[in-house]
């Protein structure tokens, strides 16, 4: 039985498969035949008409904006063909000092440029001089926007309403008044209504809300159910004053200055929060200016290095050319060897390739000169070649570690910005705790009511002749006072806001601690680098002098025939390498000085860059002067109850900070004014911080003060 049932099942399955195959085959035949039938249908009148969507709707359009002739735009359009392998000595020089380069960089464009040139790929991340003003003018983050929540608000409404409504009743007639004709009332209700309301309200910093309202209602009706009215049309209204004072949640200047008038837990948009937003924006702008100054100095010294390396390669090429020509002469007279001539020829072309790379390579003279041009806002090329004129510093500078560390932790813009973030979280914790209370408001209202046949006027001297006469007579006065209490049972959302604010505070404090730790490490690295680069400067200088003497000796020995050419060729390569390394270490030392000023927060003072507020709006200075006449300083500020200050006072990032570090001069050094000079190499002078003055570099053998002395000339 099992075998028979299995055979029947197999037969059924095969039959189903055959039916499915036939259905699929028929479907394919019908589809193919159907397509052929559709091809025989002629085209309609619009089948070949081009579509607007195909020709116009898919086009990429170019925006039309108003253009203004600015310095960057003119520089972009006036660029000439770039330099590649031209001889720099035949190109007119544009002498530029480091101070002039930084001045041009901060004045040429409102956009703070960077070496990477990310303005094209990500313009939204670019920093401009407008960013602090944009934050201050923001409707969500600015101080004025936060203050607008406390502005007086005026609202007014005026509505007309006409009612013509059928009613479910029989018509009826009533006797006329004073023997007049009877009055017939139809089964409908007709009336004309008007409503006029206006209100002036004011939210205060203590949380109180004052309001003054005026309401007028006009009604004219023909409803028989109100046939006993005094007037067929009447004006009624009131003048009302209200005072609502929060006693728990939402009360006090501390809460309202942080959270604003909003009573939503976790939402903080008060004046103090907006002030912090503006300060953070200023810190970001200051960081961008510091980055710009650092980039300009980097590009400037890189260009100066490129000049020196090019000179070294040219001198190497000339020496190799002389050796090659001398070897050719010897080969022509029969006293030379062809392999030595080939070696000299190879080294000449090797130096020729280095000269060409030093000119037009990616790290060559022209590329680095163009990078400096971009940072200072000049055209990519204009037929001139920038030539740095500021002499690099070769004096040994010694920074007092304790003073530098204290300045770094106090003056670094990153630390100050993070402190503002911590201050914001502290304020949010205060507001969240104050919000963890029920809503208990004291409410007081007082109103003067009135009724009149007319809105204004005095015709029949009756009691209710006009509305405003009734109100001003003061015969009908009302008042109420009481308390309103409301709160969500459990205060879950407010408790969650407190927990969130505390966690955010802990996070920002941890980041502040980590920032200060990172700043100390960065300052330590910069201090190590300044010591290392100066030592490398001396070492590479001694190496360069030794290689020069070696080349002179081997050249004489080679020309006298006492030595092989390989030693001379190797010495020529070594002297070019040692000269290049010497100049690299010299400019790396100047960049190390820049880095330590940057790490301790004095780079703007070092480069004589000052930050100042832009011009005020017209009349703002006069208004401030007028208001200041009514302000007097408190002789005893402790006797006045004021909210806690947001900041500890003004801070000028470009000002010189006075410190009092200990003077640690070596036994061979002597004090000269405010600097310490040590007996080191004859061409170097050593200075250190002393008497509250930042490092000042003195170059007695050049008879010129370095720019550090200019940067700190206003020190005591």
């Amino acid at each position: 039985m099992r075998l028979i049932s299995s055979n029947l099942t197999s037969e059924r399955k095969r039959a189903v498969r055959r039916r499915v195959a036939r259905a699929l085959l028929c479907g394919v035949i019908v589809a193919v035949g159907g397509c052929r039938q559709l091809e025989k249908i002629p085209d309609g009148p619009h089948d070949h008409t081009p579509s607007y969507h195909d020709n116009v709707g898919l086009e990429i359009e170019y925006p039309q904006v108003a253009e203004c002739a600015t310095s960057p735009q003119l520089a972009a359009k006036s660029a000439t063909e770039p330099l590649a392998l031209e001889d720099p000595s035949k190109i007119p020089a544009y002498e530029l000092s480091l101070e002039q380069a930084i001045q041009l960089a901060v004045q040429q464009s409102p956009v703070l440029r960077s070496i990477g040139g990310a303005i094209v790929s990500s313009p939204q991340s670019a920093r401009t001089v407008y960013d602090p003003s944009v934050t201050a003018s923001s409707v969500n983050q600015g101080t004025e926007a936060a203050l607008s929540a406390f502005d007086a608000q005026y609202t007014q409404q005026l509505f007309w309403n006409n009612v013509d409504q059928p009613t479910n009743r029989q018509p009826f007639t009533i006797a006329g008044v004073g023997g007049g004709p009877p009055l017939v009332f139809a089964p409908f209700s007709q009336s004309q209504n008007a409503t006029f309301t206006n209100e002036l309200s004011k939210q205060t910093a203590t949380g109180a809300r004052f309001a003054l309202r005026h309401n007028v209602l006009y009604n004219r009706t023909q409803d028989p159910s109100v046939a006993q009215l005094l007037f067929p049309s009447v004006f009624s209204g009131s003048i009302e004053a209200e005072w609502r004072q929060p006693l728990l949640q939402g009360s006090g200047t501390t809460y309202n200055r942080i959270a604003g008038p909003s009573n939503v837990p976790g939402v903080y948009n008060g004046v103090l929060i907006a002030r912090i937003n503006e300060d953070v924006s200023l810190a970001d702008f200051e960081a961008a200016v510091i980055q710009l100054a650092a980039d300009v100095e980097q590009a400037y010294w890189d260009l100066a290095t490129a000049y020196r390396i090019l000179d070294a390669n040219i001198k190497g090429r000339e020496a190799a050319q002389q050796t090659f020509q001398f070897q050719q002469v010897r080969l022509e007279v029969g006293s030379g060897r062809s392999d030595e001539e080939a070696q000299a020829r190879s080294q000449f072309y090797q130096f020729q390739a280095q000269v060409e790379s030093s000119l037009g390579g990616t790290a060559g003279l022209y590329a680095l000169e163009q990078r400096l041009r971009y940072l200072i806002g000049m055209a990519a090329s204009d037929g001139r070649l920038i030539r740095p004129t500021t002499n690099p510093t070769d004096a040994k500078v010694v920074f007092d570690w304790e003073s530098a560390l204290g300045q770094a932790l106090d003056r670094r813009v990153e630390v100050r910005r993070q402190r503002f973030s911590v201050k914001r979280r502290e304020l949010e914790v205060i507001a969240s705790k104050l919000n963890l209370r029920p809503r208990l408001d004291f409410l007081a209202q007082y109103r003067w009511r009135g009724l009149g046949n007319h809105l204004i006027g005095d015709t029949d001297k009756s009691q209710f002749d006009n509305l405003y006469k009734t109100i001003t007579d003061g015969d009908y006065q009302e008042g109420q006072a009481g308390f309103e209490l409301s709160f969500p049972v459990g205060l879950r959302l407010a408790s969650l806001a407190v927990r969130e604010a505390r966690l955010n505070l802990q996070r920002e404090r941890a980041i502040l601690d980590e920032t200060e730790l990172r700043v100390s490490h960065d300052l330590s690295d910069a201090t190590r680098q300044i010591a290392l680069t100066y030592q490398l400067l001396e070492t590479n200088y001694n190496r360069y002098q030794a290689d020069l003497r070696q080349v002179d000796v081997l050249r004489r020995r080679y020309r006298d025939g006492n030595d092989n050419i390989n030693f001379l060729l190797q010495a020529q390569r070594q002297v070019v390498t040692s000269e290049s390394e010497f100049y690299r270490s010299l400019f790396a030392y100047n960049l190390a000085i820049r880095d330590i000023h940057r790490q301790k927060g004095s780079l703007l003072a070092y480069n004589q860059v000052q930050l100042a507020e832009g011009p005020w709006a017209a009349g703002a200075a006069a208004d401030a002067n007028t208001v200041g006449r009514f302000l007097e300083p408190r002789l005893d500020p402790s006797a006045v109850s004021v909210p806690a200050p947001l900041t500890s006072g003004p801070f000028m990032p470009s000002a010189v900070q006075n410190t009092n570090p200990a003077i640690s001069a070596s036994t061979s050094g002597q004090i000269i004014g405010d600097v310490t000079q040590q007996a080191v190499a004859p061409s170097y002078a050593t200075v250190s911080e002393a008497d509250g003055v930042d490092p000042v570099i003195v170059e007695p053998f050049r008879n010129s003060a370095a720019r550090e002395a200019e940067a700190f000339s206003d020190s005591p």
Side-chain angles (χ1 to χ4, degrees), residues 515-583:
T515 301
E516 293 179 347
L517 178 62
R518 185 66 217 180
V519 165
S520 65
H521 279 264
D522 292 342
L523 181 64
S524 178
D525 291 339
T527 305
R528 185 184 304 107
Q529 287 300 316
I530 198 172
L532 173 62
T533 52
Y534 181 77
Q535 187 61 44
L536 289 177
L537 174 62
E538 289 186 336
T539 303
N540 288 325
Y541 177 78
N542 295 330
R543 172 190 173 187
Y544 174 49
Q545 297 299 322
D547 287 340
L548 287 176
R549 291 193 296 270
Q550 180 185 11
V551 168
D552 292 338
V553 173
L554 291 178
R555 184 184 298 112
R556 290 194 299 267
R557 290 175 59 86
Y558 167 71
R559 296 200 172 188
D560 294 340
N562 298 328
D563 211 340
N564 191 283
I565 191 176
N566 292 326
F567 296 105
L568 176 60
L569 297 179
Q570 182 179 1
Q572 289 176 347
R573 293 193 297 269
Q574 288 180 356
V575 73
V576 173
T577 303
S578 60
E579 183 180 2
S580 300
E581 291 300 323
F582 166 69
Y583 286 113

Side-chain angles (χ1 to χ4, degrees), residues 248-273 423-439 493-502 505:
L248 293 179
Q249 186 187 81
S251 64
T253 57
T254 300
Y255 176 83
N256 286 275
R257 291 174 70 201
I258 299 173
S262 174
N263 295 317
V264 180
V267 177
Y268 313 100
N269 51 7
V271 178
L272 296 184
I273 301 299
K423 184 63 178 179
R424 172 174 183 151
R425 299 306 184 186
E426 290 177 350
L427 295 177
E428 290 179 356
V429 169
I430 295 174
S432 63
K433 290 182 178 179
L434 293 176
N435 208 25
L436 193 62
R437 297 178 296 181
R439 181 76 184 189
L493 188 59
S495 301
L496 186 62
V498 173
R499 190 181 308 116
E500 179 189 19
R502 288 176 175 174
L505 177 59

Side-chain angles (χ1 to χ4, degrees), residues 66-84:
E67 296 184 2
C68 301
T70 59
S71 297
Q73 186 185 52
L74 296 177
K77 294 181 178 180
S78 63
T80 60
E81 185 177 357
L83 303 173

Side-chain angles (χ1 to χ4, degrees), residues 52-261:
Y52 170 85
H53 177 75
D54 296 334
N55 297 333
V56 180
L58 296 180
E59 290 182 352
I60 298 177
E61 299 181 355
Y62 202 84
Q64 182 178 0
V65 298
E67 296 184 2
C68 301
T70 59
S71 297
Q73 186 185 52
L74 296 177
K77 294 181 178 180
S78 63
T80 60
E81 185 177 357
L83 303 173
L85 297 174
E86 289 78 2
D87 187 357
S89 62
K90 299 180 180 179
I91 303 175
Y94 173 53
E95 295 184 350
L96 184 69
S97 64
L98 179 58
E99 289 78 7
Q100 292 173 342
I102 295 178
Q103 184 179 7
L104 289 174
V106 299
Q107 292 181 351
Q108 286 295 323
S109 173
V111 179
L112 303 180
R113 304 181 182 94
S114 61
I115 291 180
I119 185 66
V120 177
S121 58
S122 56
Q124 67 279 358
S125 62
R127 291 289 179 184
T128 67
V129 297
Y130 305 112
D131 292 348
S133 298
V134 169
T135 302
S137 304
S138 173
V139 297
N140 298 320
Q141 296 181 332
T143 304
E144 293 294 330
L147 289 173
S148 65
F150 299 94
D151 293 343
Q153 302 292 329
Y154 178 76
T155 59
Q156 178 178 301
Q157 294 179 348
L158 178 60
F159 292 101
W160 294 89
N161 186 20
N162 182 35
V163 178
D164 191 358
Q165 179 181 355
T167 59
N168 186 20
R169 60 173 173 243
Q170 294 292 334
F172 63 96
T173 303
I174 63 175
V177 180
L183 300 178
V184 179
F185 291 92
F188 54 83
S189 174
Q190 294 179 344
S191 64
Q192 292 81 35
N193 302 318
T195 304
F196 173 74
T197 61
N198 58 352
E199 176 183 295
L200 180 64
S201 61
K202 169 67 175 178
Q203 183 81 25
T204 66
T206 61
R209 184 178 185 273
F210 297 94
L212 182 63
R213 304 186 188 95
H214 177 38
N215 303 321
V216 176
L217 177 63
Y218 170 76
N219 180 261
R220 180 182 180 88
T221 181
Q222 295 181 6
D223 192 345
S225 61
V226 290
Q228 302 301 320
L229 291 178
L230 182 61
F231 305 108
S233 62
V234 65
F235 291 89
S236 62
S238 64
I239 295 179
E240 177 181 308
E242 179 181 299
W243 172 32
R244 180 180 291 271
Q245 174 64 56
L247 301 178
L248 293 179
Q249 186 187 81
S251 64
T253 57
T254 300
Y255 176 83
N256 286 275
R257 291 174 70 201
I258 299 173

Side-chain angles (χ1 to χ4, degrees), residues 311-324:
D311 292 340
N313 289 327
I314 290 176
K315 288 189 291 185
R317 183 187 64 181
E318 293 175 352
Q321 185 178 11
Q322 293 176 2
T323 304
F324 166 57

